[in-house]
Amino acid sequence: MSYKRILTIQDISCVGQCSLTVALPILSASGLETAILPSAVLSNHTAGFTGWTFTDLTEDMPKIKEQWEKENLDFSAIYTGYLGSAKQIDYVKDIMSSRLVTGGKNIVDPAMADNGKLYPGFDDAFVDAMKKLAFSADIILPNITEACFLTGMEYLETYDETYINELIDKLTANGAKTVVLTGVGYTADKTGVVVRENNVQSYYEHDKIANGCHGTGDVYASAFVGALENGHSAYDAAKIAADFTVECIKKTIGDENHWYGVKFELALPTLIQLLNK
Ligand code: PXL
């Protein structure tokens, strides 16, 4: 397989083990050259801290794209996470159109919401812009809350398979191609991921070890991209990412001071083993 250069576009949360500080090491450990485009710089993430600084990098994007065009720098895959503004999403779409190699995949984690609510700072205009990005991507990795914002479906805490199927049907009807729906659990002690690709749907269920660990969405999506770009199918990549994320949580639970993220660094050897299976 030729050496792949991946581009990931998401924020730098200086502290908090999410976004680029998670994606870059996980993709590198997956054996992929990783280029980054920071969407914003925050002192720390917005989930649980009392405040944060936020420097929006939207206006850097077209200039960086232009420079990459001059240098003929392109990417085997482009993977996006937390983005800084609705306007930025248009620039991200331009970069995807211009800098993705033919046959390369756009992978979008519509990182904007969890537990039924949008993250601080996001509004309806941002959701509308994210819809355009998500529904034009090759693969999306929403959690249930994000899938609800993308489709307009009501968010439910407890649900059955009919609800989940309807959610994925609606995503697909809106244009989503491969859907990897995360955090789907039908009983209190289980969670899992549903993958629908080319009308074939599979569910990977595993133990739920803790409720709502911060940053696990980013850990999951990064490991998924790492596995996918190593040649695994979407379903196998979804399984590898789930097993890795579980391992990250196991390495973290019990340390109350570490509430803001997971100690994914300690689980990187497990990821490498899972990728080489
Ligand atoms: O993990 C998603 C994420 C990424 N980046 C920032 C966040 C969050 C979740 O809250 O606040 C800045």
Side-chain angles (χ1 to χ4, degrees), residues 11 13 18-19 42 45-47 82 119 218:
D11 72 283
S13 282
C18 67
S19 323
L42 293 88
H45 65 59
T46 67
Y82 184 105
Y119 294 145
D218 299 344

Side-chain angles (χ1 to χ4, degrees), residues 58-77:
T58 300
E59 293 315 324
D60 276 358
M61 286 192 169
K63 292 183 271 182
I64 290 174
K65 183 195 100 166
E66 208 177 294
Q67 177 58 23
W68 285 346
E69 282 171 344
K70 280 193 201 139
E71 301 286 348
N72 216 5
L73 292 168
D74 56 14
F75 304 101
S76 317

Side-chain angles (χ1 to χ4, degrees), residues 127 131 135 145-155 163 167 170-171 174:
V127 174
K131 283 181 190 169
F135 296 140
T145 304
E146 288 155 351
C148 287
F149 277 104
L150 292 173
T151 57
M153 249 175 88
E154 187 193 354
Y155 173 76
Y163 172 81
L167 203 47
K170 287 214 160 84
L171 289 168
N174 277 292

Side-chain angles (χ1 to χ4, degrees), residues 14 21 44 78 80 83-84 87 110 133 160 210 215 220 234 237 242 249 257:
C14 300
T21 64
N44 46 269
I78 299 181
T80 68
L83 300 174
K87 184 174 176 199
L133 183 66
D160 57 12
Y220 184 89
I249 297 169
N257 291 326

